[in-house]
Amino acid sequence: MLGLGIACVLAVTAATAAPQNAQIPSVRAEGELGARIELVQQRFLEGTEPAFTDDFILADVALRPDYPRRFAEFSGDISGRYLGALALMPPEGSDLTLAGLAHRILSYQREDGRFGAADLSFSEKDIDRPHMALLWGNGRLLVGLMEYYSVSQDKAVLDGARRLGDFLLQVRQNCSSEEVVKRLEGQAAFGFICFTQLIEGLAALYEATQDTRYLAGAEEMAEWFQATRGKQHSHGYLSTLRGMMMLYELTGKAEELKRVETHYDRLIKSPDYLVIGGVAELFGGGNERDEGCSEADFLRLSLQLWKATGKVTYLERAERCLLNHFYANQFKSGDFGHHKITPWGFAPLEGVGRAWWCCSMHGLRAFRDVVDAIVVQERDEIQVNLFQDVTWNTPDMTFRMRCEKTGVRLEVKASSAQRKTLAIRNPSWANAADITLNGAPESVSSAQDGYMRVNRAWKAGDTLQVVFDYKVVLELRDRTRIALSDLPTEPVAGTLFYGPRILGVDSVCDPDFHGEPHVGNVVHLPKQLEADHDVSHASLLTVPGAHFTVSYIHEGFPEPCHVTLLPFSEQTQHRQGIFTVTHYYQARP
């Protein structure tokens, strides 16, 4: 599978609309991005233990006693996520059809519009953990139905979604009482976020129907959102913020955007935001696992904020998560899930943490937003925002973008005679950028928005090459940063960034480094890193030019040793091992 490197050809859908006056492009994801998308798509089409059969997918709405499946009480969770993710990210060349599955899901809808247990009373005195589980699953199913509807325009699906939306509006008052909120404090995945995450589906339902009842209900839920994170399920919290961003996108109310930006900024400044670019499964400390859903949510929320505000800092937060925590969270099977978080990096869980019940689908869904953000055209300007291997096509222009060791190459395959501006992001993780056009140096215009612009009448065969001077910095535990040239001679604990990528040590590749005792190992860094030329295990998931063999002193004996620093993301290629990203570093003696 990794050898193919082409996942799908995608066009912007109603669920991820293009900017006003923009041409709708098709995008072919290739290289590392394409390989990762294909991994998770093939997981659903061909994977086993468990296989995604119809019985397996539908278990959370069918509730068959003869087919027990984990988390079926979260009714609609798997079925909704699967339907939505595959609708928006269909595998290229597959005969997968979703209409039959969507209609089978609807066949299990209860008379009052809900899915799942019909005997759960939503009176205020009864509402507790089982009710939150049902609401959580119904909320994820509503989102999935609306995502499927955005590409199918299936009226029966919209009708079912409306009946579900009406049920959620009916129970919202009882679910939001002070007594219920207090009862659900500290319940993590069964807590109040199971209720507030409904904002996302109701906002999508309003967008499709223009029925203001759904908008009013979603806005009311946003007012009930608990501003303090506490010890709370990060996936539900971030899903709520994404739903609140959708309210801003639909209404343009500045207070909605300000509220989300405030919550986001507080998160970034708190210990809940991890150096690897994402968050743990639970906020508030005491949790030793990450969750693929939460990394997907943080990535998607950052992209939403960037699109709404134009602030490149949000885009770079998304990129940091994508290339590090999100990619590292993906397993060789294609699944996303859980890893044990230590003060030094990742360690294997007692059991393999492939979360087929939620994270695998949510990870695929996040790729949709990534693909849509890579290149964006508005009028006669084409913005290159993320550096990923893609072929990008509109009626006016087609080009291929390829990532290289420290840069990117754009090859124009076809173009109209019109003048267009290519705006290339100038990232904060680079000191400078050299740009050549057809092999000759090219002058660019730079603006305060952080983009370098080249304006010309592009023609087939034009090649624009951008070479970045990567910053190599050590981020300390207090979040201060030290340039490699300023690294002290005394050991300091920190995480090493090579451009946008985090480097660390993989126990599968270097088993001796993590031999006991290893926490006190001291890695020696030269003034300038020189990349290894021979990477014997190269694949599409191997980052070119980002492997560095350096010396270190192992805690416990003085003889110098050698270890390879490599990108955190590369652990996807093999079974779980120890991957440390924080070490003691010092300037090479």
Side-chain angles (χ1 to χ4, degrees):
M1 285 183 285
L2 294 184
L4 298 178
I6 300 176
C8 48
V9 178
L10 302 166
V12 176
T13 69
T16 51
Q20 189 176 9
N21 300 322
Q23 297 184 52
I24 297 179
S26 65
V27 185
R28 180 184 290 270
E30 300 165 333
E32 180 181 13
L33 175 64
R36 288 182 177 279
I37 293 173
E38 184 185 10
L39 267 179
V40 65
Q41 287 173 327
Q42 291 302 314
R43 169 69 184 92
F44 298 131
L45 297 180
E46 300 176 4
T48 59
E49 297 187 20
F52 278 78
T53 63
D54 280 4
D55 283 344
F56 175 81
I57 296 167
L58 294 167
D60 53 27
V61 291
L63 301 183
R64 287 168 43 191
D66 64 328
Y67 193 91
R69 196 208 67 203
R70 190 182 192 195
F71 296 139
E73 73 274 22
F74 290 82
S75 295
D77 199 7
I78 285 183
S79 50
R81 292 178 194 265
Y82 181 91
L83 182 66
L86 271 296
L88 295 181
M89 293 294 291
E92 183 180 11
S94 168
D95 59 359
L96 175 70
T97 58
L98 295 171
L101 177 66
H103 289 179
R104 285 192 67 188
I105 290 172
L106 294 177
S107 72
Y108 293 105
Q109 191 165 23
R110 304 295 187 182
E111 185 177 349
D112 64 357
R114 78 176 78 182
F115 291 82
D119 58 351
L120 273 181
S121 164
F122 275 83
S123 65
E124 184 177 324
K125 64 180 178 61
D126 294 330
I127 294 172
D128 212 324
R129 288 167 61 97
H131 303 75
M132 290 297 108
L134 184 143
L135 285 181
W136 176 271
N138 277 227
R140 295 299 92 201
L141 178 51
L142 179 56
V143 171
L145 290 171
M146 296 311 301
E147 289 173 338
Y148 175 73
Y149 174 75
S150 74
V151 297
S152 70
Q153 298 299 297
D154 188 324
K155 185 177 181 299
V157 170
L158 182 60
D159 289 343
R162 293 192 71 148
R163 292 194 299 274
L164 176 54
D166 291 345
F167 164 75
L168 298 175
L169 292 182
Q170 181 183 353
V171 303
R172 75 186 189 279
Q173 291 294 341
N174 286 348
C175 288
S176 61
S177 73
E178 290 186 14
E179 179 185 339
V180 171
V181 172
K182 186 173 181 59
R183 191 182 304 149
L184 296 170
E185 285 181 0
Q187 296 298 316
F190 293 88
F192 196 64
I193 45 81
C194 294
F195 177 68
T196 56
Q197 56 90 30
L198 299 174
I199 296 170
E200 183 182 1
L202 290 173
L205 192 53
Y206 165 71
E207 184 177 23
T209 65
Q210 295 301 296
D211 187 331
T212 56
R213 294 180 304 123
Y214 303 126
L215 177 62
E219 289 180 321
E220 189 176 301
M221 291 175 185
E223 292 299 325
W224 295 327
F225 180 60
Q226 297 168 324
T228 56
R229 289 185 306 279
K231 193 171 181 63
Q232 191 169 177
H233 188 213
S234 58
H235 174 27
Y237 180 93
L238 293 170
S239 290
T240 300
L241 292 184
R242 289 193 300 99
M244 291 163 66
M245 276 303 299
M246 291 175 66
L247 293 180
Y248 168 73
E249 292 158 6
L250 290 168
T251 67
K253 293 180 180 179
E255 60 269 24
E256 295 284 2
L257 176 60
K258 183 179 180 181
R259 178 162 46 186
V260 177
E261 285 197 281
T262 298
H263 292 323
Y264 184 95
D265 186 57
R266 288 172 180 168
L267 171 59
I268 292 298
K269 293 176 179 177
S270 77
D272 286 328
Y273 179 62
L274 306 177
V275 68
I276 51 180
V279 297
E281 182 179 20
L282 295 180
F283 290 136
N287 177 241
E288 294 185 336
R289 303 201 314 175
D290 69 341
E291 180 176 353
C293 289
S294 302
E295 318 327 324
D297 283 329
F298 183 83
L299 169 58
R300 296 177 63 193
L301 176 61
S302 299
L303 290 175
Q304 281 179 289
L305 284 165
W306 162 66
K307 289 182 178 180
T309 66
K311 297 176 182 177
V312 180
T313 51
Y314 290 127
L315 180 63
E316 294 208 336
R317 291 286 183 190
E319 180 181 56
R320 179 167 172 171
C321 181
L322 173 70
L323 298 180
N324 297 293
H325 199 166
F326 184 70
Y327 275 1
N329 183 271
Q330 190 174 24
F331 291 82
K332 185 178 181 180
S333 65
D335 290 291
F336 290 82
H338 303 286
H339 301 77
K340 182 178 180 180
I341 301 173
T342 75
W344 309 96
F346 275 4
L349 288 169
E350 184 177 345
V352 177
R354 299 181 296 110
W356 47 258
W357 50 87
C358 58
C359 299
S360 299
M361 288 80 75
H362 215 56
L364 178 60
R365 176 61 185 86
F367 279 125
R368 170 79 257 185
D369 290 5
V370 171
V371 170
D372 290 343
I374 294 170
V375 182
V376 174
Q377 179 175 0
E378 188 166 4
R379 298 182 177 87
D380 292 327
E381 178 164 293
I382 301 170
Q383 276 192 350
V384 177
N385 306 302
L386 296 171
F387 306 112
Q388 299 285 326
D389 289 2
V390 295
T391 295
W392 188 85
N393 177 62
T394 67
D396 285 347
M397 192 174 190
T398 299
F399 65 79
R400 231 179 152 190
M401 179 163 59
R402 287 292 173 271
C403 294
E404 299 180 330
K405 286 185 177 180
T406 57
V408 65
R409 178 188 297 267
L410 283 77
E411 300 174 1
V412 178
K413 299 299 182 182
S415 181
S416 67
Q418 297 176 344
R419 294 184 71 89
K420 290 188 181 297
T421 298
L422 271 180
I424 313 296
R425 183 176 130 244
N426 192 4
S428 66
W429 40 257
N431 292 307
D434 292 327
I435 298 182
T436 58
L437 177 63
N438 301 326
E442 179 70 9
S443 61
V444 299
S445 61
S446 298
Q448 291 183 348
D449 64 356
Y451 284 79
M452 304 170 289
R453 290 174 167 83
V454 179
N455 179 270
R456 62 185 268 113
W458 299 90
K459 61 182 184 297
D462 282 345
T463 299
L464 188 72
Q465 187 172 17
V466 184
V467 178
F468 296 111
D469 176 17
Y470 278 7
K471 293 179 181 178
V472 185
V473 298
L474 190 68
E475 183 168 314
L476 307 183
R477 291 196 183 276
D478 65 1
R479 300 191 179 181
T480 58
R481 291 192 148 206
I482 299 176
L484 185 61
S485 58
D486 296 328
L487 190 65
T489 55
E490 295 298 317
V492 291
T495 302
L496 188 65
F497 284 79
Y498 178 66
R501 302 269 186 167
I502 290 174
L503 302 181
V505 180
D506 190 338
S507 66
V508 174
C509 303
D510 279 291
D512 293 336
F513 183 87
H514 297 105
E516 186 179 349
H518 68 82
V519 169
N521 292 356
V522 179
V523 179
H524 299 153
L525 295 179
K527 292 295 183 183
Q528 184 171 348
L529 287 177
E530 296 292 339
D532 298 348
H533 295 291
D534 178 29
V535 181
S536 58
H537 60 284
S539 77
L540 286 173
L541 303 189
T542 301
V543 183
H547 288 225
F548 306 91
T549 298
V550 295
S551 62
Y552 76 98
I553 297 297
H554 199 291
E555 181 182 7
F557 54 88
E559 287 82 11
C561 307
H562 289 84
V563 69
T564 299
L565 301 175
L566 48 81
F568 185 35
S569 60
E570 290 189 16
Q571 69 168 0
T572 299
Q573 299 180 95
H574 52 67
R575 61 176 172 80
Q576 278 188 301
I578 299 171
F579 200 113
T580 46
V581 297
T582 299
H583 307 99
Y584 287 103
Y585 289 98
Q586 68 178 116
R588 187 172 64 189

